[in-house]
Every structure is written in structure tokens, then in C-alpha cells.
């Protein structure tokens, strides 16, 4: 049975994602995303489940940065989880008496309208996770009056739901990924796959980003996410995160990645894995595996003088 680290404690959205990704795994709750990834890197766990992006808030930057630095990890699965937030408090608490709210920063952003409408005078404090907030609020003598977390976290920590669906939108989705140390075979191509890369530039020059994008464009590879993140080496120094359709076993994807490897400083491959939404790529004319193979054969023939 694999042991998977995750952002805990019990009752986080990440735990829900882990249970859906691997219902039989042993679960190792960690205090932060970084700690969960360190457990996977160090061998304390066989892998980890972490949030990567949210449909309202965008990228989870801690995860992006962790994937770019330190010991490499490979994504082998992803999951899209609808996230619904509740306002939770100790029994007997009433909304007008709430002065201090505790929750994860992602939840603060996603519940902004509710907080300013219903809790205009409350101080909202950032917690390590939504479930950590619920756990803290459940303690007698807690300095917080309420938490914003998943309803299930409230049930787990004995809180009552004062308001449900307090997110600004009811269709918010967080994308989670499962990662493991490299060394195992990649997931087989399914025809509806995604690949993730981190790319560092060799040097800063006009058109550097365009050159990278061209490697994808000319091979008909459709990007699904692009993000720039600071390298930390000074203002204006960035590296790039890419998600795109297809599997590294696909000729067009392999050729695009090899092209980036030729022109960039460093390309870190973060995995090819089945897409959670099952969407298959629209393959442009001239970019199927057969067409790449046929073009390779043709080139070999002309190189052999068989014109
Ligand atoms: O705090 C949690 O419950 C988490 O699993 C973290 C997290 C996040 O980092 O985005 C996951 C989903 C929600 O978007 C809010 C918080």
C-alpha cells in the first residue's frame, strides 16, 4: 500500500483529492505543501498530493516553485476537485459576533465577496490550511471565532456550519497532482494526456519567449497553462512553467521538448500523465506520429542519395 504525503491535517481539500486519486493509500498529513513534497523526496512517503492551480486564484506558487528547485519529482496523475467553502464555528456562535476568522489564503481570495458582505468588520487571518483553521477554531480558548473550510472539516472537528457555499463562485475547481520520485516507468499514453515542464532560459535576449513558444507551435502542441516565476536572482529574471496537451511518447511532444532542450538553459521534465478531464488534443495536419515517422524515413532516404 503506498504512503502518500499531503497538506493536512485531516479534512483539507487536498485530503479529499488524495482519497479520490488513491482510495487505498496510507495518508501522511503534513503541515505545508513543502513538507509534503519533502516527505516524498526524502522517502518518508512514496509520493505526495499537492494543489497546483485553482480556477479562480490561478497557480499555487509554492507548488510551482517546489517543482522547479530541489530533487526532481514526477507527476503521475491529476485530479480536478470542485471546492465548496463553509463558514464554521463552535456551537452557539452567531455571525454578527464573529470578529476573527481563520482560513487558508486561497480561501480568503475565493470568499472575498462573502467576507466583505457578511463579515465586514472581521479580521481574517491566514492559516496553514483550511482544516488547520477548523481544528484551531474547535479548541476551547481559540483566539478565532470562525473558520472557512470544507463542510467535512467542520464535521470532523465538531464545528457547526453557519453558512454554506460562501465562495464567490459555486463552480470553483482546484487541480491537484500526485507526484513521486523518478525511476518508475511513466504512465502509458492514453490519447488524452498532459505534460508539464519547467524551462530556464540560457540567456535573456529579445524573442526568447517567442522562440520557446515556436517549438510548441510548429509541432502543433497546444499549451494549457504558462506561468513565469522569478528565479530569485534579481528583478526581471524569470523561469517558465508549461502544461500542454499530449504525452512525451507522442512524436510532436518529444520533438518540441527536444527543441527546447537545444535552445534553453535547462528543461526540467515534470511528467506526462492522463488528463483528468479526458479531453483529447486536436491534432494538426502534419503532426501525427505517422507523419513524423514518414518524414524521418524520407529524410533518411535523401541523405542516402535516394532522391
Ligand atoms: O487548505 C486546504 O484545504 C487545501 O487543501 C489547500 C487549498 C489550496 O492551496 O488552494 C486547496 C484547495 C482550495 O483552493 C483551498 C486551499
Amino acid at each position: 500500500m503506498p504512503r502518500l504525503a499531503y497538506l493536512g491535517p485531516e479534512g483539507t481539500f487536498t485530503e479529499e483529492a488524495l482519497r479520490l486519486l488513491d482510495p487505498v493509500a496510507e495518508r501522511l498529513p503534513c503541515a505545508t505543501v513543502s513538507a509534503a513534497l519533502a516527505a516524498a523526496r526524502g522517502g518518508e512517503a512514496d509520493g505526495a498530493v499537492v494543489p497546483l492551480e485553482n480556477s479562480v486564484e490561478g497557480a499555487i506558487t509554492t507548488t510551482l516553485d517546489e517543482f522547479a528547485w530541489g530533487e526532481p519529482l514526477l507527476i503521475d496523475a491529476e485530479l480536478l476537485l470542485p471546492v465548496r467553502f463553509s463558514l464554521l464555528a463552535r456551537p452557539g456562535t452567531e455571525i454578527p459576533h464573529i470578529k476573527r476568522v481563520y482560513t487558508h489564503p486561497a480561501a480568503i481570495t475565493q470568499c472575498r465577496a462573502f467576507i466583505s458582505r457578511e463579515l465586514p468588520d472581521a479580521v481574517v487571518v491566514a492559516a496553514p490550511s483550511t482544516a488547520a483553521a477548523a481544528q484551531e477554531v474547535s479548541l476551547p480558548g481559540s483566539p478565532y471565532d470562525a473558520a472557512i473550510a470544507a463542510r467535512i472539516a467542520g464535521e470532523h472537528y465538531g464545528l457547526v456550519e453557519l453558512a454554506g457555499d460562501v465562495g464567490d463562485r459555486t463552480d470553483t475547481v482546484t487541480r491537484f497532482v500526485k507526484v513521486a520520485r523518478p525511476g518508475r516507468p511513466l504512465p502509458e499514453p492514453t490519447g488524452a494526456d498532459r505534460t508539464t515542464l519547467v524551462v530556464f532560459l540560457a540567456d535573456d535576449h529579445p524573442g526568447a519567449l517567442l522562440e520557446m513558444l515556436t517549438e510548441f507551435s510548429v509541432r502543433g502542441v497546444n499549451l494549457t497553462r504558462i506561468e513565469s516565476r522569478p528565479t530569485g536572482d534579481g528583478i526581471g529574471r524569470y523561469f517558465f512553467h508549461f502544461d500542454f496537451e499530449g504525452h512525451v511518447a507522442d512524436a510532436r511532444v518529444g520533438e518540441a521538448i527536444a527543441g527546447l532542450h537545444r535552445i534553453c538553459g535547462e528543461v526540467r521534465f515534470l511528467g506526462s500523465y492522463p488528463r483528468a478531464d479526458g479531453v483529447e488534443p486536436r491534432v494538426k495536419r502534419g503532426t501525427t506520429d505517422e507523419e513524423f515517422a514518414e518524414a524521418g524515413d524520407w529524410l533518411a532516404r535523401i541523405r542516402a542519395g535516394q532522391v
Side-chain angles (χ1 to χ4, degrees):
M1 192 169 36
R3 190 165 198 238
L4 296 177
Y6 71 99
L7 172 65
E10 260 182 80
T12 57
F13 290 104
T14 311
E15 187 199 348
E16 200 181 333
L18 189 163
R19 285 172 179 273
L20 292 166
L21 281 163
D22 190 340
V24 301
E26 187 190 331
R27 294 182 299 279
L28 176 67
C30 298
T32 61
V33 164
S34 299
L37 294 173
R41 285 183 165 121
E44 211 183 310
D46 300 301
V49 173
V50 291
L52 195 143
E53 63 175 320
N54 175 271
S55 60
V56 171
E57 211 201 341
I60 314 293
T61 51
T62 308
T63 304
L64 297 193
D65 292 348
E66 279 286 350
F67 284 175
W69 310 107
E71 287 299 305
L73 291 166
L74 284 177
I75 302 172
D76 56 33
E78 69 169 16
L79 179 97
L80 300 173
L81 184 79
V83 285
R84 295 272 182 96
F85 297 99
S86 297
L87 181 70
L88 307 165
R90 291 179 293 279
T93 311
E94 286 173 14
I95 292 184
H97 301 137
I98 294 174
K99 295 286 170 263
R100 284 173 72 80
V101 180
Y102 200 36
T103 191
H104 189 271
I108 302 177
T109 321
Q110 290 167 58
C111 303
R112 211 175 263 141
F114 174 84
I115 293 169
S116 59
R117 191 178 63 243
E118 304 293 335
L119 303 162
D121 301 323
V123 174
V124 186
V125 180
S129 72
T130 57
Q135 187 180 40
E136 162 64 41
V137 168
S138 74
L139 301 175
S142 167
Y144 304 103
D145 306 310
I148 295 176
R151 179 180 295 149
I152 191 153
E155 289 165 13
H156 192 83
Y157 296 106
L159 301 176
V160 291
E161 186 182 52
L162 300 185
D165 267 338
V166 301
D168 295 351
R169 299 182 59 126
T170 51
D171 55 356
T172 304
V173 173
T174 300
R175 179 175 158 230
F176 291 87
V177 292
K178 182 156 82 65
V179 294
R181 291 183 298 282
R184 281 182 259 180
L186 299 180
E188 291 289 323
T190 63
D193 304 291
R194 199 189 312 273
T195 296
T196 302
L197 288 187
V198 170
V199 181
F200 294 87
L201 296 175
D203 59 76
D204 183 19
H205 60 270
L209 179 59
L210 183 62
E211 287 164 16
M212 284 194 282
L213 296 177
T214 302
E215 297 294 334
F216 294 109
S217 162
V218 296
R219 286 152 187 127
V221 176
N222 190 28
L223 298 182
T224 54
R225 184 179 59 86
I226 174 170
E227 224 96 42
S228 57
R229 293 289 306 150
T231 62
D233 295 332
I235 297 294
R237 308 293 291 272
Y238 285 88
F239 67 91
F240 299 88
H241 244 269
F242 292 101
D243 279 341
F244 45 91
E245 291 179 344
H247 193 285
V248 68
D250 298 335
R252 64 184 174 286
V253 171
E255 296 270 338
I257 296 178
L260 289 170
H261 174 76
R262 277 188 286 105
I263 65 166
C264 296
E266 187 196 334
V267 177
R268 183 178 272 212
F269 175 69
L270 289 180
S272 290
Y273 46 91
R275 276 181 77 143
D277 57 14
V279 174
E280 293 182 11
R282 260 184 298 139
V283 181
K284 258 171 65 176
R285 187 172 170 275
T287 66
T288 63
D289 280 2
E290 295 70 30
E291 285 162 323
F292 270 98
E294 191 281 325
D297 292 347
W298 171 82
L299 185 61
R301 283 198 305 279
I302 61 169
R303 280 176 172 161
Q306 297 168 13
V307 284

